[in-house]
């Protein structure tokens, strides 16, 4: 009986440490982005031509064949995931007029580094563009103890800017 109690306690302890922290549901992020007038989602197929620059941006292959996004006029919204240290981080990114309008952490699954969700960090991305060599045109300050999470969000920001350039919404 004692062993069962200890096992249950340890399971609950480890499960709560690694539980998803949902700061905003992806649907809510999209609804807010387009003020309840949400366009139908669109898809970018990751063709051979796109896979090479995406691999350079992420430093690994992207694991899906297509990426869903929402767009209207000159704005696109992306919900993307990248692994921080061990777990995926779900990020909502809005691109408008070919620059980042907003970065928001939607779901954070890591046990450390959750400070990346705060506006003092995410607001650094506002008005950032992509250079010709697929880098951000602004320096983004890191957070001590959250280096891998910071790097993941920087990669996703670069990816969203790159993917936006592949859409008809980047031409407006």
């Amino acid at each position: 009986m004692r062993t069962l109690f200890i096992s249950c306690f340890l399971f609950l302890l480890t499960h709560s440490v690694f539980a998803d922290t949902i700061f905003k549901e992806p649907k809510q992020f999209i609804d807010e982005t387009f003020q309840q007038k949400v366009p139908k989602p669109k898809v970018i197929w990751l063709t051979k031509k796109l896979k090479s620059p995406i691999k350079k941006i992420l430093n690994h292959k992207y694991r899906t064949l297509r990426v869903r996004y929402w767009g209207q006029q000159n704005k696109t919204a992306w919900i993307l995931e990248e692994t921080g240290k061990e777990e995926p981080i779900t990020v909502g990114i809005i691109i408008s007029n070919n620059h980042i309008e907003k970065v928001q952490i939607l779901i954070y699954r890591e046990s450390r580094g959750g400070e990346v969700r705060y506006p003092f960090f995410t607001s650094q991305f506002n008005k950032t563009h992509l250079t010709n060599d697929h880098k951000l045109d602004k320096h983004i300050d890191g957070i001590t103890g959250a280096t891998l999470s910071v790097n993941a969000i920087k990669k996703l920001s670069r990816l969203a800017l790159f993917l936006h350039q592949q859409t008809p919404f980047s031409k407006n």
Side-chain angles (χ1 to χ4, degrees):
M1 183 68 166
R2 180 177 176 196
T3 305
L4 178 63
F5 175 77
I6 291 171
S7 297
C8 289
F9 176 76
L10 290 174
F11 171 78
L12 291 173
L13 178 67
T14 58
H15 186 271
S16 66
V17 169
F18 296 107
D20 297 356
T21 303
I22 301 172
F23 298 109
K24 185 170 286 187
E25 290 289 342
K27 182 184 180 329
Q28 182 184 1
F29 174 77
I30 297 299
D31 287 345
E32 289 174 4
T33 298
F34 295 102
Q35 299 163 0
Q36 307 299 326
K37 298 173 186 160
V38 178
K40 288 186 179 182
K42 295 173 180 23
V43 172
I44 289 184
W45 287 91
L46 302 185
T47 63
K48 198 173 198 176
K49 177 183 168 188
L50 296 178
K51 287 181 182 182
S52 177
I54 290 172
K55 186 176 181 181
K56 287 179 184 175
I57 288 168
L58 297 176
N59 294 324
H60 62 81
K61 291 180 181 178
Y62 201 58
R63 65 187 179 281
T64 63
L65 297 174
R66 62 187 182 272
V67 179
R68 185 167 41 163
Y69 71 99
W70 295 259
Q72 67 186 30
Q73 297 172 345
N74 60 355
K75 181 186 286 191
T76 57
W78 306 84
I79 297 176
L80 303 168
E81 286 189 348
E82 177 67 12
T83 300
K85 182 175 182 180
E86 297 171 345
E87 301 294 328
I89 303 167
T90 305
V91 181
I93 302 171
I94 302 168
I95 310 294
S96 180
N97 294 317
N98 295 310
H99 67 264
I100 294 176
E101 182 178 299
K102 183 177 187 178
V103 170
Q104 188 166 22
I105 309 308
L106 304 179
I107 304 171
Y108 195 79
R109 298 170 182 89
E110 296 284 1
S111 59
R112 296 188 175 151
E115 298 85 358
V116 296
R117 76 180 184 269
Y118 293 116
F120 79 83
F121 174 72
T122 58
S123 65
Q124 295 181 83
F125 292 89
N126 297 353
K127 302 288 186 199
T128 302
H129 292 86
L130 198 61
T131 64
N132 291 336
D133 60 346
H134 302 124
K135 305 282 184 198
L136 297 176
D137 70 342
K138 285 176 29 179
H139 173 75
I140 304 297
D141 287 331
I143 299 173
T144 302
T147 303
L148 297 175
S149 294
V150 167
N151 289 343
I153 295 160
K154 286 166 55 174
K155 288 178 188 179
L156 290 178
S157 297
R158 292 170 56 204
L159 179 60
L161 284 162
F162 174 75
L163 291 172
H164 175 83
Q165 291 176 347
Q166 314 310 308
T167 72
F169 303 101
S170 70
K171 313 315 189 244
N172 293 338

